[in-house]
Amino acid sequence: MEQIAKEEQRKAWKLQGIGEKYTTWEPTKRELELLRHNPKRRKITTNCTIGLRGLINLGNTCFMNCIVQALTHTPLLRDFFLSDRHKCEMQSNSCLVCEMSQLFQEFYSGHRSPHIPFRLLHLVWTHARHLAGYEQQDAHEFLIAALDVLHRHCKGDMIRDDNGKKANNPNHCNCIIDQIFTGGLQSDVTCQVCHGVSTTIDPFWDISLDLPGSSTPFWALSPGGDGSTVNGESHLSGSTTLTDCLRRFTRPEHLGSSAKIKCGGCHSYQESTKQLTMKKLPIVACFHLKRFEHSAKLRRKITTYVSFPLELDMTPFMASSKESRMNGQYQQSVDVLNNDNK
């Protein structure tokens, strides 16, 4: 059944012009033969340091180093680069994907000495001018800029169809960056008069989540009060969890009389509510916690402690869950088949 399902999914992807979905690397028969003849290379011991390597700080570049460490330990990205899948179509020395490929080789070479990512920094300065200089920058801003440049430089890595032609679909880029990090965010605007719903779906690389600061407390969102368990998290009253932030992000928001939207059903400007949900989850979800709050008088950092679970179930925040709730079909018990949302 699994095999049939995979085959049908593959056909559906091809019909949509997306090509094949990126799958994890599997060794070929030849590679397995080589591994049998070299048993030392086969097992990774508990004290193995392959992939663990420090990065030298070049001024105030800790914002870059922490993102590089996160990317080099993303399993699918690691599989892609270490199986040499990148085919460069750019001028040499200007491609960020080539530099990332080199970085993966450095990280997984087994060397113990710290690596100096000066070429990476130079390329970032070249392609994302707003991040140039030795000042401290925002790690989240660097992540988005890096993903954007990698996505633009992945030209040669588009997945091809059976005839060797690039599977071309203007609505969907199938480079490795988009396959791993791109999700779909659904926005439903509901008219308060005729209850007509207008839906738009936008791609996203990250989700920016509000934190409870002095102006936005939201403790009341935690269900069950003291000591309840939500999404595998033990919930102490007064503590904030990632689930709280996501629940706040996906709750319906009343747009008010100052932001009336023209309703397609009533053909007039009406008050409405807006709700965000996940239409499609990315393989790797990036959450950005908004740690700064701005007001007329001050700009301050929110130091609220946010706990997050080892395993996060996104089912309650999916568009499909909202639809089944509205149809009266939604049960609170976690569906066994919903492992895709974890």
Side-chain angles (χ1 to χ4, degrees):
M1 288 295 282
E2 281 288 306
Q3 205 54 49
I4 295 165
K6 276 181 186 163
E7 190 56 39
E8 289 302 317
Q9 196 175 34
R10 202 172 65 81
K11 284 180 194 167
W13 274 72
K14 279 201 172 169
L15 280 171
Q16 290 173 40
I18 295 168
E20 287 200 31
K21 198 171 181 182
Y22 181 74
T23 51
T24 51
W25 171 81
E26 293 286 338
T28 60
K29 284 180 182 175
R30 164 99 181 106
E31 285 164 336
L32 286 169
E33 201 54 47
L34 282 168
L35 286 170
R36 277 192 204 99
H37 286 112
N38 297 280
K40 278 187 183 175
R41 284 276 178 203
R42 212 169 22 182
K43 79 170 184 268
I44 292 179
T45 54
T46 48
N47 61 351
C48 172
T49 59
I50 291 175
L52 297 178
R53 198 165 179 191
L55 288 164
I56 296 285
N57 200 347
L58 304 166
N60 290 312
T61 57
C62 43
F63 68 93
M64 177 179 84
N65 290 0
C66 73
I67 296 298
V68 167
Q69 289 284 7
L71 291 177
T72 48
H73 291 92
T74 301
L76 272 176
L77 209 53
R78 178 198 64 204
D79 291 356
F80 177 84
F81 282 114
L82 294 184
S83 55
D84 209 16
R85 295 282 187 92
H86 173 53
K87 297 169 190 68
C88 190
E89 290 185 3
M90 291 185 65
Q91 293 173 341
S92 58
N93 304 326
S94 68
C95 176
L96 190 67
V97 191
C98 288
E99 182 50 42
M100 277 302 285
S101 188
Q102 187 59 42
L103 204 65
F104 273 89
Q105 302 294 336
E106 291 285 352
F107 259 81
Y108 291 91
S109 63
H111 292 309
R112 306 283 286 271
S113 57
H115 179 65
I116 306 165
F118 64 92
R119 280 201 307 273
L120 180 73
L121 184 66
H122 177 253
L123 279 173
V124 169
W125 286 3
T126 309
H127 296 294
R129 295 286 168 89
H130 62 290
L131 294 173
Y134 289 101
E135 301 83 51
Q136 174 64 278
Q137 300 285 355
D138 183 59
H140 168 245
E141 197 177 350
F142 175 81
L143 170 69
I144 297 305
L147 290 180
D148 180 52
V149 178
L150 285 167
H151 155 79
R152 284 189 278 123
H153 289 189
C154 271
K155 285 181 210 160
D157 303 328
M158 299 295 173
I159 289 176
R160 295 162 194 272
D161 63 18
D162 291 341
N163 306 324
K165 290 179 184 167
K166 287 183 183 177
N168 211 355
N169 182 342
N171 302 321
H172 185 105
C173 169
N174 57 3
C175 72
I176 190 65
I177 298 301
D178 277 289
Q179 287 192 46
I180 295 174
F181 297 100
T182 302
L185 187 68
Q186 180 167 318
S187 170
D188 294 316
V189 177
T190 309
C191 171
Q192 292 295 281
V193 179
C194 69
H195 301 292
V197 181
S198 165
T199 300
T200 52
I201 297 164
D202 295 303
F204 70 86
W205 273 336
D206 67 323
I207 295 287
S208 289
L209 300 171
D210 283 315
L211 291 179
S214 57
S215 57
T216 57
F218 55 96
W219 311 123
L221 284 172
S222 306
D226 294 347
S228 66
T229 301
V230 184
N231 219 337
E233 302 165 345
S234 59
H235 223 294
L236 299 168
S237 59
S239 74
T240 305
T241 68
L242 184 60
T243 314
D244 284 334
C245 299
L246 282 162
R247 202 175 286 111
R248 181 186 173 86
F249 180 79
T250 54
R251 70 178 181 178
E253 176 195 355
H254 188 72
L255 294 176
S257 53
S258 58
K260 285 184 177 178
I261 288 171
K262 190 166 185 178
C263 172
C266 308
H267 302 293
S268 60
Y269 286 89
Q270 304 290 356
E271 286 191 26
S272 53
T273 58
K274 179 182 175 181
Q275 185 173 11
L276 297 170
T277 47
M278 311 289 159
K279 179 69 179 171
K280 173 185 170 281
L281 286 174
I283 294 171
V284 174
C286 302
F287 298 110
H288 162 231
L289 303 177
K290 294 184 189 172
R291 286 233 171 252
F292 288 96
E293 69 174 344
H294 304 266
S295 65
K297 292 178 185 173
L298 79 158
R299 174 182 183 268
R300 70 177 195 92
K301 190 165 185 179
I302 302 167
T303 55
T304 308
Y305 178 82
V306 180
S307 68
F308 57 92
L310 197 59
E311 188 177 76
L312 180 68
D313 184 6
M314 292 291 284
T315 308
F317 315 113
M318 298 299 290
S320 52
S321 298
K322 180 195 170 188
E323 282 150 22
S324 52
R325 260 200 308 273
M326 285 167 78
N327 299 335
Q329 301 162 343
Y330 187 70
Q331 283 97 33
Q332 200 57 44
S333 62
V334 176
D335 192 343
V336 184
L337 298 170
N338 258 334
N339 284 333
D340 287 354
N341 299 335
K342 284 187 179 168

